[in-house]
Amino acid sequence: MIARRRRTNSGSDSKQNGISSQTSQTFVSEVLLDTDMSCRDRTNEFFSAAKLLQSRQGNGALAQKRNPALRQRSEFTQIAKKIGRDLANTFAKLEKLTMLAKKKSLFDDKPVEIQELTYIINQDIQGLNKQIAQLQQVARSHPNARHVQSHSNSVVVSLQSKLATMSNDFKQVLEVRTENLKHQKTRRDQFSESPSNTTYSNHSSVLFQDEMNHSQGATGGADVVINMDGLDKNRFQQQMQLVDQQDDYIQDRADTMKNIESTIVELGGIFTQLAHMVKEQEEIVHRIDSNTDDAVMNVEAAHSEILKYFQSVTSNRWLMIKIFAVLILFFIIFVVFMA
Amino acid sequence: MKLYCIAVLHKGETKVNPLASAHELSSFGYFQRSSVKEFMDFTCKIVAERTIVGSRASVKEQEYICHVYVRSDCLTGLVIADHEYPQRVAHTLINKVLEEFTGKVPKSQWPTANSSTIVYGGLADYLQKYQDPKQADSMTKIQSELDETKIILYDTIEKILEREEKLNDLVEKSEGLSMQSKAFYKTARKTNSCCVIL
């Protein structure tokens, strides 16, 4: 990828006097190919079309009109080129760091170099971030045609995605490095006595030394030998005190981070529980809904039944009169029959 | 929790050279302030002299704690705070101040320059900002916000449990309602169907 970019740089340098959009197109097409985006390289077709247009319309008038636009575009492309070059350099440094971090032997470690390289890469990534933001500003500040605008946007987006992949790789390398450090520490502790429990102030370490001496004395054996060991441990512990003071601060920060991480995990668990409960209650809500629908349906049906009854009762009155009239007639006939 | 003083010094081979400092003396009486300031500067010098290069330390002094960090290039940062101020935040502050100082003032000036010759005005701002560690230090801020969020979420879960009870109530009532309406419908249908003749 580095070789490809160098070729692009030299190519665009030589073509600087020509049509600037060509160079940016070449650059972008190379960049797009690098990031594995699914796009075809149609630069050759573009070149042939541009040559055709050029031969058709003549160069002079067009070149003058395009000069200020050329200058704006070339500023953009120069900044983009610089960013691409810095990106390539930082990628190379990151590869070096990866090689250094992957070494697993106990004594071949170069912590100073690794720290320096990490610091440099960190600074580089921050600087690149700022540069890309600046590039975006430049692209937005010049009011260009729509296709030029979309081209600048795609260049900026591709640079940003490259930076993002690089930061991800950097993070992974740092994780690998911490894993290796942990392994080294455990292995070192296996082979040498672990000088744990060293503290800040001198008082408690003196007490600790007394305790160590007493416990050593209790195990028996020649007193002289054990005292010498105790003295050695003393010196060792004092040296480790310095390292551990720094370590304590770092340990403190690590503990706080662990706390924060566990709190966040807890919060995540609470959220899932919440979602679970709400989902269960959804079923209850459905049941309520269907019950009320049933109730409404039944009430409507009963309402219509009663209406029907009411209608039959009201419309029945005439029938009722007629029936009564017939009954009274029958009564009269009966009475007449009897009497 | 209060911060009283931030100071940057250069720890040379033989002597310690104070480079910049900022003080927050509003809690002392007006007439005591100058003497307290002198005493603080003196303490800074002594502690910086006694501290080994490339180490951090926290020295307790009556009711104040002095956090000091001597970097490997002999630039020293000092913070005087009270007992409650968290140690980690103080050391984070020292780191930040030292980095900014290294960026602004070139290294050649450190052994010789004085607080009057160096132009570095950021200390007072830092002192003000870090008076409340919960706001200024990002890790404490995150921790406190997360704790608040956790409390809010516990409240939410309790409310959801109450909601569940109310929903159960509603289910029972709606079931009763639907049964009653069904009985109502049956009665209405019965009155309609039976006494048509009459």
Side-chain angles (χ1 to χ4, degrees), chain A residues 119 200 242 245-246 249 252-254 256-257 259-261 263-264 266-267 270-271 273-274 277-278 280-282 284-285 287-289 291-292 294-296 298-299 301-306 308-310 312 316 320 323, chain B residues 52 54-58 69 87-89 91-92 95 99 139-140 142-143 146-147 149-150 153-154 156-157 160-161 163-168 170-171 174-175 177-178 181-182 184-185 188-189 191-192 195-198:
Chain A
Y119 184 67
Y200 272 123
L242 295 175
Q245 273 179 9
Q246 185 85 335
Y249 167 64
D252 209 359
R253 282 178 77 101
T256 320
M257 290 312 292
N259 274 342
I260 291 180
E261 197 183 331
T263 319
I264 292 183
E266 227 180 288
L267 280 179
I270 293 179
F271 268 115
Q273 268 186 16
L274 211 67
M277 281 201 239
V278 172
E280 282 176 359
Q281 290 176 359
E282 185 192 356
I284 301 179
V285 167
R287 271 165 61 194
I288 296 177
D289 198 26
N291 281 341
T292 44
D294 283 343
V296 162
N298 284 331
V299 164
H303 180 67
S304 61
E305 291 286 326
I306 294 183
K308 264 197 286 182
Y309 185 61
F310 177 63
S312 70
N316 231 3
M320 245 345 168
I323 291 171
Chain B
I52 313 176
S55 70
R56 302 171 183 275
S58 299
Y69 173 44
Q87 189 185 35
R88 192 181 42 75
V89 180
H91 280 290
T92 315
N95 275 351
E99 270 183 40
M139 286 212 266
T140 16
I142 292 176
Q143 185 75 15
L146 282 174
D147 288 334
T149 315
K150 215 161 57 158
L153 276 176
Y154 283 147
T156 315
I157 290 193
I160 292 219
L161 287 174
R163 177 182 185 249
E164 185 160 353
E165 281 179 43
K166 289 187 186 152
L167 280 175
N168 280 331
L170 269 174
V171 160
S174 63
E175 273 175 10
L177 187 67
S178 79
S181 66
K182 212 165 168 192
F184 175 42
Y185 170 63
R189 218 172 45 173
T191 53
N192 226 2
C195 314
V196 167
I197 310 167
L198 188 61

Side-chain angles (χ1 to χ4, degrees), chain B residues 121-180:
Chain B
L123 281 180
D125 295 331
Y126 273 121
L127 194 58
Q128 278 297 359
K129 208 168 71 145
Y130 273 78
Q131 283 295 339
D132 184 13
K134 287 216 176 7
Q135 286 306 315
D137 183 34
S138 44
M139 286 212 266
T140 16
K141 198 156 65 159
I142 292 176
Q143 185 75 15
S144 55
E145 278 180 11
L146 282 174
D147 288 334
E148 277 178 29
T149 315
K150 215 161 57 158
I151 293 180
I152 293 177
L153 276 176
Y154 283 147
D155 277 341
T156 315
I157 290 193
E158 282 184 23
K159 291 202 180 125
I160 292 219
L161 287 174
E162 281 176 34
R163 177 182 185 249
E164 185 160 353
E165 281 179 43
K166 289 187 186 152
L167 280 175
N168 280 331
D169 263 347
L170 269 174
V171 160
E172 288 166 11
K173 293 217 171 103
S174 63
E175 273 175 10
L177 187 67
S178 79
M179 304 248 205
Q180 299 277 26

